[in-house]
Amino acid sequence: MRILLGADTFAPDVNGAARFAERLATGLAGRGHEVHVAAPSPDGPSGTGTFGGATVHRVRSRRYPLHESFRVCLPWESGPQTAAVLDAVRPDVVHVQAHFSVGRGLAVAASDRGTPLVATNHFMPENLFAHARIPGSLRGAAARFAWRDARKVFARANALTAPTPRAVELLTRATGLPATAISCGIDAERYAGGTETEGTILFVGRLDQEKRVDELIRAAARLDRPYRLEIVGDGSERAAWEKLARDLGVPAVFHGFVSEEELIAAYRRCSVFCMPGVAELQSLVTLEAMAAGKPVVAADAMALPHLVRPGRNGWLFPPGDVAVLASVLGALLQDPETRRRMGAASREIVAGHALDTTLDAFEELYTDVTARTPGRVRVPALAA
């Protein structure tokens, strides 16, 4: 098939939605499909390149003034550009990963032209509140507006998905649109192996408000045994959380962004992985830690209970309860046998999220929506 993916975040961006789009693009290309990706330019100008066997069409972007690592595509630029990409590629199916500028432009163009359209939602309003500087008193109204806006785009799709049953429930309740749960998937064998450095607690993710890494730091400060806290990632709260760790005397190492090889090494050497975030629609980094055979301590929020089975592969804690978080972290750090047992269970659970299964599901979905779209005839792409 000729597949056009629309991604509002893509390599070199480092976040769950970008990593999923990358794995989907390279995985489909590896299966012999002709894969194109429309995504924001990482440095401004539009252009065309390649990534993992896929052709990437970069849409002109601008720096977001309230966040140094964000780039945004202005709709009056991205709309015509994404429509032009669609007309040049002439795909069998379009699959957008969001309802923002790139996804919106492609969704509108695809539905206007009768091109089969699949949409996947990775969005929660909470992910954007801090970046948009929305006061707490207005966030309820802002969330309702954001979901209404998402519905305008997703209602155009022939099929709608989200990464987990909890994410589907949230999406359907907020928009009234039916959706299917398809995991983001993971190549588990890539993370297996390595030697644990005993006493190491690991967090991986954006260092932004909804990740609540401050709770992890405060919990670590209560531990009464030797440990090391490693934090991989960057974001708007990094400086504040580095200061908090220093003030509390927490032996924390903030690595910032790291290479894929360094990230895998961090998973392999940690004793316990902790995800205190409360806005996770799946949490790819938690899946990656599980693939490395690690016990997981996570907030009892959103989709994390789909991954963490209390007493089997880790523990859940009430969001904000630093005392409970410290207690379960301390118990795991002093019990290597429980860590081994829970790590093995993590590997068993993650097997249900195999990347090949995800690719199978999307291939089947693409075939279904193209078969249900009347009058579709394979048309050669235009010459570059």
Side-chain angles (χ1 to χ4, degrees), residues 3-245:
I3 302 162
L4 175 56
L5 304 178
D8 280 273
T9 179
F10 194 73
D13 294 350
V14 181
N15 58 66
R19 289 171 67 83
F20 167 67
E22 294 160 21
R23 289 173 180 174
L24 182 62
T26 56
L28 291 170
R31 290 187 170 199
H33 300 288
E34 180 186 335
V35 180
H36 296 258
V37 181
S41 168
D43 52 12
S46 58
T48 304
T50 59
F51 183 93
T55 300
V56 183
H57 307 264
R58 294 294 185 174
V59 177
R60 182 174 178 79
S61 69
R62 313 277 181 167
R63 192 179 72 83
Y64 182 59
L66 299 181
H67 196 291
E68 63 180 17
S69 64
F70 278 13
R71 298 197 69 87
V72 296
C73 299
L74 302 177
W76 51 89
E77 293 178 333
S78 60
Q81 285 187 43
T82 51
V85 170
L86 178 70
D87 291 338
V89 172
R90 296 183 180 178
D92 298 306
V93 63
V94 170
H95 183 179
V96 298
Q97 307 299 314
H99 67 284
F100 305 118
S101 292
V102 172
R104 183 184 304 265
L106 271 182
V108 170
S111 61
D112 286 350
R113 290 157 175 74
T115 304
L117 175 64
V118 174
T120 294
N121 181 56
H122 302 278
F123 166 76
M124 286 182 64
E126 289 79 1
N127 296 139
L128 297 181
F129 284 160
H131 305 307
R133 308 280 177 88
I134 297 174
S137 61
L138 298 179
R139 290 186 175 185
R144 290 189 292 273
F145 173 83
W147 281 121
R148 285 196 299 270
D149 184 56
R151 190 187 191 286
K152 293 177 183 177
V153 177
F154 292 148
R156 293 174 176 268
N158 303 102
L160 180 60
T161 79
T164 61
R166 181 70 182 91
V168 166
E169 177 188 346
L170 175 71
L171 176 62
T172 298
R173 187 174 69 240
T175 66
L177 299 172
T180 302
I182 300 179
S183 173
C184 290
I186 186 171
D187 180 4
E189 292 310 308
R190 182 170 175 78
Y191 299 88
T195 303
E196 174 189 321
T197 300
E198 190 165 351
T200 303
I201 305 166
L202 176 66
F203 167 86
V204 178
R206 287 181 294 104
L207 302 187
D208 290 324
Q209 191 177 75
E210 75 274 12
K211 298 298 184 179
R212 298 197 179 190
V213 176
D214 55 319
E215 294 177 10
L216 172 57
I217 294 170
R218 294 181 190 281
R222 297 182 176 217
L223 298 176
D224 59 0
R225 59 181 296 104
Y227 69 92
R228 168 186 169 95
L229 177 59
E230 293 196 39
I231 297 173
V232 174
D234 209 341
S236 58
E237 298 295 325
R238 177 173 175 173
W241 288 341
E242 286 180 327
K243 181 178 185 302
L244 177 64

Side-chain angles (χ1 to χ4, degrees), residues 1 22 113 116 157 197 231 253 307 312 364-365 372 379:
M1 302 183 76
E22 294 160 21
R113 290 157 175 74
T197 300
I231 297 173
V253 178
L307 300 180
R312 184 181 173 199
E364 183 177 346
L365 193 59
R372 287 192 283 113
V379 180

